[in-house]
Amino acid sequence: MAAASECDVVMAATEPELLDDEEAKREAESFKEQGNAYYAKKDYNEAYNYYTKAIDMCPKNASYYGNRAATLMMLGRFREALGDAQQSVRLDDSFVRGHLREGKCHLFLGNAMAACRSFQRALELDHKNTQAQQEFKNANAVIEYEKIAETDFEKRDFRKVVFCMDRALEFAPACHRFKILKAECLAMLGRYPEAQSVASDILRMDSTNADALYVRGLCLYYEDCIEKAVQFFVQALRMAPDHDKACVACRNAKALKAKKEDGNKAFKEGNYKLAYELYTEALGIDPNNIKTNAKLYCNRGTVNSKLRKLDDAIEDCTNAVKLDDTYIKAYLRRAQCYMDTEQYEEAVRDYEKVYQTEKTKEHKQLLKNAQLELKKSKRKDYYKILGVDKNASEDEIKKAYRKRALMHHPDRHSGASAEVQKEEEKKFKEVGEAFTILSDPKKKTRYDSGQDLDEEGMNMGDFDANNIFKAFFGGPGGFSFEASGPGNFFFQFG
């Protein structure tokens, strides 16, 4: 690790005052040499033990603290290392390596300003020291990343904050503050597993870290695990009662949970108007809670569908899938609304999305039904041509044919313009075609099921509308149009 330079060699002995002091120094130097040997072999725990013995023998020796600081850095114990490094420069302010180690510890822990001061002092003592020069640049880079991140966080540009924190953590890998900010932004970006991982790592080292507890709660809150989230927020506030973010998040979580539950209760009781109002109020609590808001939009869409406000229901479901494009329930709800409003192409698109995600028999059947209705919608709508409901009886179909056939019969429009005659003749043929299909049980069944009518000899191009008309009204001579004045006709039956 670049942070830990080589351990210092034996210092020149100072002039002895007492023989016991000389012996203590010699023993301390022996411990130091043994520590150096273990350090060289990367056995940092043993090196730490021997440097500690050296310090116990001679607690006024700066290099011993410096060496133990280097060892602690290699063990990742940067706060303890910082204490030793600071003690080393208190004992000897001209100790360049002590200042470098102090600066490196500050930087690793994210205190870039303090790091700069330590590196500046090292450069004052040795202006050509390349390590001090580089570390000073690194510390200033971290300061700059912090400034950019602070600005971007206010702008809610969370991706850029994550980028800046990643760069800063390259120089300050032990900084909990940078990690927490990164984790919070990851949560805001919906990258919950990554955010949870960062927060959990910190909590393993410090189970009382209020910021990490807050981030854990935030991830659960945004994943719609509101009850568990509240527990983490409460725990964070127990550790730090003045934690503003945890306080706001806890309040929002409780309010959101209450409104949603009240809305669900009203819906189950059939009070759809109240349910709509409660879901709407819940949607106004926290626009950042994407998953919960997606569910609220879908719930409100269900309410609107119950109120037969199908266009509003479609809009709510669309908002739900905009927030969460994996939300199957919202696609299913919107698809049903599309079916109810005869927007079959849109319904097919939604059911295809659902079936691609969850290939169940139920979803396959829903897709098949929508595809059938789409196919049927592209044919002539014989019920619409006759002006009857799809459940019309045989008598109702006959009455409708009688009315429409007489309305569009070519003889009735013999005095009209050629364009009008052509249009009425077309409608007359369509009415006859519709009656031919809907008055025949076999053909009607095939038509209703979406099957092709041209199969099994049912070629609709072969029929004659006039023959159908004559057969219905009793044959030749059984019916005629008579003029009763300009543009007026009456029907005469023989």
Side-chain angles (χ1 to χ4, degrees):
M1 183 185 289
S5 308
E6 291 182 7
C7 292
D8 307 312
V9 296
V10 180
M11 287 179 60
T14 56
E15 200 171 277
E17 293 179 5
L18 297 171
L19 184 60
D20 287 346
D21 288 343
E22 284 293 341
E23 287 177 1
K25 288 176 182 177
R26 280 195 297 271
E27 193 169 355
E29 283 298 320
S30 174
F31 288 140
K32 176 184 174 180
E33 290 302 327
Q34 291 179 76
N36 289 349
Y38 281 114
Y39 187 96
K41 289 188 290 186
K42 298 184 179 180
D43 188 344
Y44 302 117
N45 285 312
E46 278 303 306
Y48 172 83
N49 291 335
Y50 278 98
Y51 290 140
T52 300
K53 289 178 181 179
I55 290 171
D56 290 342
M57 294 301 296
C58 288
K60 301 295 185 182
N61 190 306
S63 69
Y64 298 167
Y65 285 99
N67 285 5
R68 192 168 71 171
T71 304
L72 287 165
M73 291 171 74
M74 296 305 290
L75 290 169
R77 294 157 61 179
F78 297 104
R79 293 200 180 278
E80 295 172 75
L82 176 61
D84 275 355
Q86 289 174 327
Q87 180 62 12
S88 74
V89 296
R90 276 195 292 268
L91 292 169
D92 181 4
D93 186 51
S94 65
F95 186 24
V96 175
R97 285 188 179 180
H99 288 294
L100 285 172
R101 287 169 187 152
E102 180 186 7
K104 195 67 176 174
C105 287
H106 279 308
L107 188 56
F108 266 52
L109 293 166
N111 192 345
M113 292 295 291
C116 281
R117 289 193 293 270
S118 295
F119 296 137
Q120 280 178 324
R121 179 56 183 153
L123 288 169
E124 288 171 5
L125 295 167
D126 179 7
H127 69 279
K128 292 183 179 180
N129 190 301
T130 55
Q131 184 186 355
Q133 291 170 355
Q134 184 58 53
E135 296 293 2
F136 184 73
K137 289 180 182 178
N138 293 345
N140 277 296
V142 170
I143 291 170
E144 190 60 28
Y145 285 131
E146 281 192 84
K147 289 179 181 177
I148 295 170
E150 184 179 354
T151 301
D152 289 329
F153 189 86
E154 291 178 1
K155 294 179 181 177
R156 303 184 66 78
D157 189 347
F158 301 121
R159 283 183 177 82
K160 197 168 179 183
V161 177
V162 170
F163 173 82
C164 288
M165 289 301 95
D166 279 337
R167 300 291 79 75
L169 284 164
E170 290 174 5
F171 302 114
C175 181
H176 287 180
R177 184 163 47 86
F178 293 169
K179 290 178 182 179
I180 288 294
L181 180 56
K182 174 185 174 180
E184 185 177 357
C185 290
L186 288 171
M188 299 300 282
L189 291 168
R191 294 160 63 179
Y192 307 119
E194 294 172 78
Q196 288 271 32
S197 177
V198 174
S200 295
D201 286 344
I202 293 172
L203 288 171
R204 273 192 289 272
M205 293 181 281
D206 178 9
S207 62
T208 64
N209 189 299
D211 290 324
L213 290 167
Y214 160 70
V215 170
R216 282 291 305 275
L218 195 66
C219 290
L220 290 166
Y221 172 59
Y222 285 151
E223 289 183 290
D224 198 40
C225 299
I226 296 179
E227 196 166 337
K228 288 183 179 179
V230 169
Q231 293 174 7
F232 275 96
F233 293 143
V234 169
Q235 196 175 349
L237 289 167
R238 195 176 294 126
M239 298 299 112
D242 59 346
H243 198 296
D244 291 339
K245 289 183 178 180
C247 185
V248 171
C250 190
R251 184 170 61 247
N252 285 346
K254 288 179 178 179
L256 203 52
K257 181 174 181 289
K259 287 290 182 185
K260 184 180 176 185
E261 289 177 350
D262 288 346
N264 292 347
K265 183 173 181 287
F267 179 83
K268 288 176 182 177
E269 292 173 351
N271 193 340
Y272 301 130
K273 183 179 178 182
L274 178 59
Y276 178 90
E277 291 172 356
L278 289 166
Y279 289 141
T280 301
E281 289 173 12
L283 281 165
I285 291 172
D286 185 1
N288 294 319
N289 195 321
I290 292 172
K291 280 205 169 183
T292 301
N293 287 344
K295 291 181 179 180
L296 289 168
Y297 271 120
C298 187
N299 287 0
R300 196 173 72 175
T302 304
V303 171
N304 276 322
S305 69
K306 290 287 186 181
L307 295 170
R308 304 311 295 167
K309 296 179 179 180
L310 297 179
D311 289 338
D312 290 342
I314 289 170
E315 184 180 353
D316 276 341
C317 292
T318 298
N319 286 328
V321 298
K322 281 181 181 177
L323 293 176
D324 182 2
D325 62 1
T326 66
Y327 193 13
I328 296 299
K329 188 176 179 181
Y331 284 109
L332 289 170
R333 171 60 57 194
R334 186 171 69 175
Q336 184 57 56
C337 290
Y338 281 140
M339 292 288 286
D340 292 342
T341 53
E342 299 184 2
Q343 299 179 66
Y344 299 119
E345 287 187 8
E346 290 81 356
V348 167
R349 186 179 64 242
D350 277 356
Y351 283 132
E352 283 177 341
K353 170 78 174 178
V354 170
Y355 185 63
Q356 286 168 6
T357 306
E358 294 182 0
K359 289 182 167 58
T360 67
K361 288 183 179 179
E362 182 185 357
H363 295 159
K364 185 177 182 180
Q365 188 59 48
L366 288 170
L367 174 58
K368 188 175 179 181
N369 293 344
Q371 290 171 331
L372 175 61
E373 291 301 323
L374 175 61
K375 179 182 177 182
K376 287 163 65 175
S377 72
K378 292 183 177 180
R379 308 172 308 172
K380 290 179 181 178
D381 187 340
Y382 292 139
Y383 291 101
K384 188 175 181 180
I385 288 170
L386 289 182
V388 295
D389 184 79
K390 290 182 180 180
N391 298 316
S393 66
E394 185 178 344
D395 285 343
E396 287 172 331
I397 290 171
K398 285 181 179 179
K399 288 178 182 178
Y401 171 69
R402 175 188 293 275
K403 178 181 176 181
R404 297 289 172 125
L406 293 174
M407 184 185 301
H408 300 298
H409 194 284
D411 288 352
R412 185 176 184 181
H413 303 281
S414 58
S417 66
E419 185 178 349
V420 170
Q421 287 186 41
K422 185 176 180 180
E423 181 63 25
E424 292 299 326
E425 184 178 354
K426 177 185 175 184
K427 289 180 179 178
F428 179 69
K429 288 185 68 175
E430 286 180 342
V431 167
E433 185 179 330
F435 180 69
T436 299
I437 300 304
L438 299 184
S439 62
D440 184 308
K442 183 178 178 182
K443 292 177 182 179
K444 183 177 184 295
T445 299
R446 289 181 63 82
Y447 174 77
D448 288 342
S449 65
Q451 297 180 61
D452 292 329
L453 297 174
D454 287 343
E455 296 176 8
E456 299 183 10
M458 296 183 190
N459 191 332
M460 299 314 299
D462 294 340
F463 86 99
D464 187 321
N466 286 310
N467 288 339
I468 295 168
F469 184 86
K470 290 174 183 177
F472 185 87
F473 285 101
F479 175 87
S480 66
F481 285 91
E482 297 290 343
S484 61
N488 296 318
F489 295 86
F490 66 89
F491 311 140
Q492 179 176 331
F493 294 88

